[in-house]
Amino acid sequence: MHAGHDDVISVCADAEALLRAGRNSEARKAARAALYTDGPDPRLYALLGRAHAAEADEQHTDRAEAILSEGLAVFPDDPGLLAAYAKLRAAHPQSPEPAEQSRELSPEDPRAVDPERAGEGIPGGDREAGATSPGRQQRHDARLVLAVIGHPMGAAQQAAGQARARPTDDRIAVLAESLTALARPGRAPLRLLVRAPLAAGIGCWAWFAAWLLGVAALHLPTWAALAALPGPALFPLLHGVLRGARRRAGDRVPAAPAVASAPGAFPALPPVPPYTRREKTAAAVVLVMVAVALAVFALGA
């Protein structure tokens, strides 16, 4: 469903206030939630792009460029989007050109001086992120929707409704099957791995390493090390659940074209960002931690 004009104005005002107060993450969450629950609006997309750009971080800058470029592909003449994109290009001249159908706005253009005065623009379409693996894209999409909607069953039901409305969209079909599988009873640990992959992943491997070190330090029987396995065992379980969801999405019976629903009721999913330095560092730390634990355990066995 679409947000009413007054609702959009209210959300934009709240998100703008958060952005001005330096609460960028909250501003992004407010804009993104409005997009997913009420449908696209150029002002919300521009706010989302500006809230990413405000972080002055390479990953967020790339995300802001992607959001604004995608918005320009759908709203090529929106002054707010043009102004926001021009401001981003002025601050980061290495950013690539916007989509073909968009028009560049010079930073000297009066509309580029103050994006707030020019009106807020926004992106609605979305491009895939290069050579992203199916599993990474699947986890990214599920994490995004769970973060916005919150309740697992509610997220699954909304995604399933969108899959029925857009029967030819494979990405939405995979998302719907993934959320339905993750929402089942007893799968809270798997949802945690999707929602907070860094914290939960490090926790799983820390459990594994701590148990092995404890067995070695306390000279416990070797079989006691089996207690270290539940943490890492969650990863193959999650992989199996997500692979099954992809298989079911691929095996679905082609549906007849759906009756046109409100355009953009479920915004196109954003591109999957590349691995961040934080993720790479965490992976390296985990590898070292596990290697040390295995070495100590083997020596003490």
Side-chain angles (χ1 to χ4, degrees):
M1 77 182 161
H2 279 289
H5 181 68
D6 291 341
D7 293 334
V8 171
I9 291 176
S10 176
V11 171
C12 286
D14 291 344
E16 186 68 49
L18 291 169
L19 190 56
R20 290 180 181 276
R23 296 158 67 179
N24 304 329
S25 177
E26 294 176 56
R28 290 194 298 272
K29 186 173 182 180
R32 193 180 296 119
L35 285 169
Y36 270 90
T37 57
D38 299 315
D41 180 279
R43 291 163 292 186
L44 292 172
Y45 276 104
L47 273 167
L48 184 56
R50 289 171 48 223
H52 275 290
E55 296 289 355
D57 167 86
E58 183 179 354
Q59 179 188 0
H60 283 283
T61 298
D62 291 344
R63 190 65 179 273
E65 190 277 328
I67 288 169
L68 295 173
S69 293
E70 289 149 15
L72 287 169
V74 179
F75 305 102
D77 298 313
D78 185 85
L81 274 175
L82 290 166
Y85 193 90
K87 190 170 184 178
L88 181 70
R89 289 288 305 279
H92 304 277
Q94 73 278 14
S95 296
E97 293 293 328
E100 261 182 38
Q101 59 268 55
S102 67
R103 293 188 296 109
E104 183 176 348
L105 181 66
S106 166
E108 286 76 28
D109 191 299
R111 291 176 296 173
V113 175
D114 187 351
E116 290 81 10
R117 276 174 23 205
E120 306 303 317
I122 32 188
D126 251 316
R127 60 189 173 199
E128 297 278 332
T132 301
S133 70
R136 177 166 167 79
Q137 176 177 279
Q138 190 178 10
R139 293 190 299 273
H140 167 269
D141 293 347
R143 178 164 62 252
L144 178 62
V145 177
L146 284 171
V148 170
I149 297 178
H151 192 275
M153 188 56 69
Q157 289 172 349
Q158 183 166 338
Q162 293 304 316
R164 289 191 294 271
R166 292 154 61 174
T168 60
D169 192 324
D170 292 336
R171 190 172 177 184
I172 290 292
V174 170
L175 172 62
E177 291 289 350
S178 303
L179 290 173
T180 299
L182 290 170
R184 289 174 185 160
R187 291 186 172 172
L190 301 186
R191 290 196 298 272
L192 183 60
L193 277 179
V194 171
R195 284 178 180 267
L198 271 184
I202 290 174
C204 287
W205 287 111
W207 169 276
F208 177 80
W211 262 103
L212 292 187
L213 293 173
V215 169
L218 299 174
H219 305 290
L220 298 176
T222 304
W223 58 262
L226 292 174
L229 296 180
L234 291 177
F235 295 100
L237 285 175
L238 177 61
H239 176 74
V241 166
L242 296 182
R243 184 175 57 185
R246 293 197 302 272
R247 186 183 63 249
R248 288 191 297 276
D251 292 344
R252 70 190 188 281
V253 177
V259 177
S261 58
F266 195 72
L269 294 162
V272 182
Y275 286 104
T276 64
R277 184 176 305 170
R278 185 182 177 194
E279 288 174 312
K280 294 175 182 177
T281 301
V285 169
V286 166
L287 284 174
V288 171
M289 177 176 64
V290 171
V292 169
L294 287 171
V296 171
F297 176 75
L299 292 173

